[in-house]
Amino acid sequence: MTDAFRHTVPLRQTWPDAFVARYRAAGYWRGETFPGFLRERATRFADAIAVVGGDTRWSYAQLWAEAERIAAGLLAQGLAPGDRVVVQLGNIPEFIAVVCALFRAQLVPVYALPAHRLTEVAHFARKAEASAYVCAERYETFDYRTLARDLQAEVPAVRHVFVVGDAAEFVSTAALDGARDALPGDPDPQSVAFLQISGGSTGLSKLIPRTHDDYIYSFRASNALCGIDADSVYMVALPAAHNFPMSSPGFFGALYAGARVVLSPGPGPDAAFPLIARERVTCVGLVPPLALLWADAAGKTAFDLSSLQVLQVGGAKLVPEAARRVVAGLGCTLQQVFGMAEGLVNYTRLDDADDLVLTTQGRPISTDDEVRVVDDAGAPVADGEIGHLLTRGPYTIRGYHNDDAANERAFTDDGFYRTGDMVQRLPSGHLIVQGRATDHINRAGEKISAEEIEDHLLAHPQVFDAAVVSIPDEFLGERSCAFVIPGDTKPRPAELKAWVRGRGLAAFKVPDQIVFVDAFGTTAVGKISRRELRAQLRARFLEEQKDAD
Ligand code: OOB
């Protein structure tokens, strides 16, 4: 989009008219919007506690007042409805207030994770054509004001920086204020409410446009499947910017229901258990390695965890044995969640038989989630056979933001999203995730594109070639391993890791392991695809490891 288009047309997702009509008629899309429902809850649940984090406890009325103050302040600073704003905040109440403020002002949040660094944040800002960046002064010892300076130097279109905490030369979010009557009305429910970040299975992350109508449907329906109502207390333990703790049912589901949201400053038992006991948390979502950690810690803790009713596990595969350990350790109802920021979310139901809960990743939210499981040629496979998962439905996007090449690859002509996951479907509709067709590493729920890391390694003067693969890991599920053919002199592994970190990337993308090899194998190198090459290197490595054991 060029500058001439900015502020004129709200971003829209393009479902064909027949689908729009169908999703409306079925009652999925009700014309609700974020500011619309938040305003209504601020009246209906005015004095109920909405958000707890650090020393802050905001009622629903206070959260809305904060959102309106910040919204008016952002417009007074010169932002205009339709502008994109990169938000990089951790699990602090201001994250929720700022995002609600952006919705209120019809500004479009673009969610970055606290772990992201300059290269990634600059990519999001460019791709989204963002004009502002919101960060915290620091979070977990990192000073984001430094990142803000580098970002503005690299992407001058980011004209505004707003900081939670000491703002230095930037504008503090606490100081924002402006005329409430300058605030716009409620947005078109089919306009894009925000841009979420994709896991990035090939190359750099893509931006995922989600509309008010589709996203609100996904967490409203999730609430029913996850047992969330006004009496619930939902804990955000994973980074709040992830789709899972945001909307499955997430803090938005909780706010929609009039429930209480408790932000844990970290995902480990040390941070979370005291808060669970104090706030009587009823539901929390975790990735598998954390769920196992919690299950072990639960047996030894003095904190009372008896309020926990539902423990959700998703983001990566929870194998049946691990699922058993989680259930035994925490003694509450396990719910498996298999979702994706692009849309489709599957849940095991709270009343599913134990066997289904332990061995499947659940079934789709909606009867209108169309699921196709197909072979390499695109032909449907029988139930029980493994195939590629394709999907289309009332909250699955039809295209990425501003990325024709990715859309060409990721969507079929009739609008199905190619998830990249390999699954088996049972006659009950439950899915079992069996792997994936794309080369990313799922490191404890964080997705890392092999290609992206290879590119950074190849930029090192002493790297002749590099291939990054996933290796099974007892704790992380998968870890990343880079096979590197060195140049004339061999760099030290620590040096290569520091190189990747120095390229301005999230720490979770630094290869866990580096293995130097002379060549990538004897089979016709150059004639096989990168994907095949990665598979061969991985297989050979695992074979050698087995022999060594
Ligand atoms: C969630 O979203 P993303 O966008 O970070 O990652 C999506 C991918 C899926 O395509 C799949 O490969 C993997 O993560 N995944 C799972 C899984 N849940 C996600 N693989 C196996 N078992 C599971 N239970 O990760 C996400 C979004 C919403 C809710 C939950 C997770």
Side-chain angles (χ1 to χ4, degrees), residues 424-440:
Q424 270 172 300
R425 181 172 42 190
L426 306 182
S428 62
H430 288 73
L431 302 174
I432 301 174
V433 181
Q434 292 290 8
R436 62 178 167 268
T438 54
D439 279 336
H440 66 241

Side-chain angles (χ1 to χ4, degrees), residues 457-458 460-466 483-492 495-496 516-519:
L457 285 167
L458 281 168
H460 189 282
Q462 289 308 328
V463 171
F464 177 73
D465 203 353
F483 293 93
V484 172
I485 305 178
D488 300 338
T489 49
K490 188 156 122 187
R492 283 174 303 117
E495 193 182 322
L496 281 185
F516 289 104
V517 291
D518 295 333

Side-chain angles (χ1 to χ4, degrees), residues 371-391:
V371 163
R372 273 192 201 155
V373 185
V374 301
D375 63 18
D376 288 347
V381 303
D383 279 349
E385 303 275 305
I386 298 176
H388 300 265
L389 171 65
L390 311 185
T391 187

Side-chain angles (χ1 to χ4, degrees), residues 243-244 248 314-317 337-341 361 421 433 442 447:
N243 201 59
F244 180 15
S248 303
K317 171 95 177 223
V337 188
F338 162 41
M340 51 210 70
Q361 279 63 60
D421 293 313
V433 181
N442 188 338
K447 319 304 183 300

